[in-house]
């Protein structure tokens, strides 16, 4: 099993990264702030305007360390990767299936089945653990709808129809999302999904978390030799990592949505951790971003038992395991792609 190494998050806007021997050196305003051995890292996520030296970018590509750049507000800019890994025959098979919408739908429906299943699990978990604090009838109605949606997904062989079912299920799921917020309701209400830009703290956290997850999924796919830009559910669009967006669908409710709810309900994130930009967008403060990323890394290091493999792994390795299972399916080593169905 692949070992989960550390992720280095650079949140200072004035930080500059350079290569010193076999370490990454962090300088802030010309002053050395830290030095970390490269062999301990698998990702470097940088929210700095200053960027990194070409020597560091080249060494990261050589070692397979994913170096990603974001604006201080969390908008993805670019990432550096080395030579493509894996068998070229695997990628050619991926391209052929992507060009066939019927074959693509067979894979895409498992991604969406996993997503809707995990959405229902999240709703059922809250209803079970907090039955005295929620509208039980409303939760049961939502659960029934999501179960019906899963039955429709299993029988669907048309991508457009599949997208329609997924959209309906997402609308119903997010329609109850505010009820999953049990504490700090006066500051963290959810009145629907908005993302460009996010207009409230809950949407700001969801968007930020989805960006982090998409980055992890892209790295996982490239690590097994797949092309993260060529998807099955999400079709080709210049600059869009369509397969990474496909893979993250089944993981959104667990790795991001439940994580955000936990931060709010446990009061780890507070209203003072957000600020409003001139554009109207709600963004993290520097302190808020640090708290989110620290908790995110801790969450990724928590151990779980993978429901399909029945092996103990860390949450952060789930995208890598699912990417590996997808590659095995494309190589015809498996009869179907098994989505991550949390128990």
């Amino acid at each position: 099993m692949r070992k989960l190494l550390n992720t280095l998050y650079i949140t200072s806007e004035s930080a500059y990264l350079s290569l010193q021997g076999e370490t990454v050196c962090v300088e802030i305003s010309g002053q050395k702030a830290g030095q970390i051995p490269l062999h301990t890292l698998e990702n470097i996520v940088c929210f700095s305007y200053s960027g990194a030296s070409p020597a560091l970018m080249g060494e990261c590509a050589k070692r397979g360390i994913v170096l990603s750049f974001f604006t201080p507000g969390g908008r993805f800019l670019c990432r550096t990767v080395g030579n493509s890994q894996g068998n070229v025959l695997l990628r050619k098979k991926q391209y052929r299936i992507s060009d066939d919408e019927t074959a693509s739908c067979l894979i895409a429906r498992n991604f969406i089945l996993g997503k809707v299943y995990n959405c229902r699990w999240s709703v059922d978990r809250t209803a079970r653990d907090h039955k005295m604090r929620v509208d039980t009838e409303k939760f049961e109605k939502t659960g029934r709808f999501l179960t019906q949606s899963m039955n429709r997904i299993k029988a669907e062989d048309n991508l457009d129809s599949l997208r329609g079912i997924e959209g309906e299920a997402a609308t119903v799921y997010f329609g109850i999302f505010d009820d999953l917020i049990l504490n700090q309701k006066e500051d963290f209400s959810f009145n629907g999904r908005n993302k460009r830009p996010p207009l409230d703290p809950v949407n700001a956290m969801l968007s930020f978390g989805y960006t982090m997850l998409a980055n992890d999924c892209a790295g996982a796919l490239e690590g097994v030799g797949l092309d993260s830009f060529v998807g099955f559910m999400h079709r080709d669009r210049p600059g869009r990592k369509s397969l990474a967006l496909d893979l993250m669908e089944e993981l959104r409710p667990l790795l991001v949505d439940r994580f955000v709810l936990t931060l709010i309900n446990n009061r780890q994130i507070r209203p003072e951790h957000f600020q409003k930009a001139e554009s109207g967008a709600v963004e993290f403060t520097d302190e808020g971003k640090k708290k989110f990323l620290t908790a995110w890394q801790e969450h990724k290091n928590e151990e779980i038992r993978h429901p399909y493999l029945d092996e103990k792994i860390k949450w952060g390795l789930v995208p890598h395991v699912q990417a590996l299972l997808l590659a095995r399916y494309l190589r015809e080593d498996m009869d179907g792609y098994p989505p991550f169905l949390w128990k």
Side-chain angles (χ1 to χ4, degrees):
M1 181 61 67
R2 183 181 184 278
K3 183 179 180 181
L4 181 64
L5 299 178
N6 296 315
T7 298
L8 173 63
Y9 293 101
I10 306 297
T11 58
S12 174
E13 296 183 15
S14 58
Y16 180 73
L17 309 182
S18 62
L19 180 67
Q20 287 194 7
E22 296 189 347
T23 68
V24 53
C25 180
V26 183
E27 296 181 2
I28 299 178
S29 301
Q31 299 295 317
K32 185 175 178 179
Q35 199 164 346
I36 301 94
L38 286 170
H39 74 269
T40 66
L41 300 173
E42 68 173 1
N43 288 288
I44 300 175
V45 181
C46 185
F47 295 90
S48 165
Y49 282 125
S50 300
S53 71
L56 177 63
M57 289 189 281
E59 187 65 19
C60 286
K62 178 182 175 181
R63 291 171 176 259
I65 299 172
V66 179
L67 175 56
S68 305
F69 295 95
F70 295 78
T71 67
R75 182 171 58 85
F76 175 76
L77 295 174
C78 64
R79 61 203 300 268
T80 63
V81 294
N83 292 329
S84 297
Q85 301 180 44
N87 193 326
V88 66
L89 298 179
L90 173 64
R91 294 193 294 278
K92 290 178 72 174
K93 179 69 175 292
Q94 175 190 355
Y95 301 150
R96 286 196 295 270
I97 292 178
S98 180
D99 286 337
D100 184 335
E101 290 205 3
T102 301
S104 292
C105 190
L106 295 178
I107 303 175
R109 70 186 183 189
N110 280 0
F111 292 138
I112 302 307
L113 179 66
K115 176 181 182 178
V116 177
Y117 177 97
N118 291 324
C119 286
R120 192 196 64 180
W121 176 88
S122 182
V123 171
D124 291 347
R125 174 67 181 270
T126 300
R128 184 179 73 244
D129 293 349
H130 304 281
K131 61 177 63 177
M132 302 300 294
R133 301 182 62 185
V134 300
D135 184 339
T136 304
E137 184 177 346
K138 182 178 181 181
F139 273 64
E140 289 178 349
K141 182 179 179 181
T142 299
R144 286 195 299 269
F145 183 89
L146 295 177
T147 299
Q148 293 167 0
S149 297
M150 287 190 288
N151 292 332
R152 294 169 62 196
I153 289 167
K154 292 174 185 177
E156 191 54 66
D157 59 4
N158 179 274
L159 273 178
D160 287 336
S161 298
L162 180 64
R163 293 188 188 99
I165 299 171
E166 186 272 335
E168 292 172 357
T171 299
V172 170
Y173 167 68
F174 279 121
I176 204 172
F177 198 80
D178 188 61
D179 297 83
L180 303 178
I181 300 173
L182 304 175
N183 294 319
Q184 304 191 89
K185 293 287 289 188
E186 65 281 1
D187 297 306
F188 291 94
S189 61
F190 182 83
N191 298 310
R193 187 79 178 100
N194 52 72
K195 48 191 175 180
R196 295 188 182 90
L199 302 176
D200 58 75
V202 179
N203 275 292
M205 285 192 285
L206 289 174
S207 293
F208 192 75
Y210 292 153
T211 300
M212 295 291 101
L213 180 57
N215 192 53
D216 287 349
C217 287
L221 291 163
E222 290 162 7
V224 299
L226 291 167
D227 188 334
S228 64
F229 287 88
V230 180
F232 305 118
M233 174 78 173
H234 293 83
R235 308 310 288 171
D236 295 347
R237 182 184 297 175
R240 182 170 76 175
K241 298 181 179 68
S242 295
L243 188 58
L245 297 180
D246 284 352
L247 185 64
M248 70 180 281
E249 288 291 356
E250 64 198 73
L251 305 179
R252 284 174 184 252
L254 305 172
L255 280 171
V256 179
D257 298 358
R258 291 298 298 189
F259 173 70
V260 167
L261 290 168
T262 298
L263 291 182
I264 297 171
N265 290 332
N266 290 349
R267 294 183 168 86
Q268 293 171 261
I269 286 286
R270 310 282 295 183
E272 58 265 27
H273 292 138
F274 299 89
Q275 60 190 2
K276 198 163 189 176
E278 292 182 3
S279 63
V282 173
E283 302 173 345
F284 279 114
T285 62
D286 289 344
E287 180 64 22
K289 189 184 300 177
K290 289 178 182 178
K291 280 190 171 291
F292 186 98
L293 291 172
T294 299
W296 176 258
Q297 190 63 20
E298 290 173 353
H299 178 52
K300 287 171 65 175
N301 277 288
E302 294 173 1
E303 275 200 346
I304 62 165
R305 183 169 291 277
H306 192 283
Y308 180 78
L309 298 180
D310 195 27
E311 293 180 9
K312 283 187 176 181
I313 64 170
K314 295 183 178 181
W315 267 119
L317 287 177
V318 171
H320 297 276
V321 171
Q322 295 306 119
L324 182 61
L325 292 172
L326 177 60
R328 288 179 179 173
Y329 168 69
L330 295 178
R331 291 193 187 98
E332 300 182 6
D333 294 334
M334 305 175 68
D335 293 333
Y337 166 72
F340 185 87
L341 306 177
W342 188 228
K343 299 177 182 179

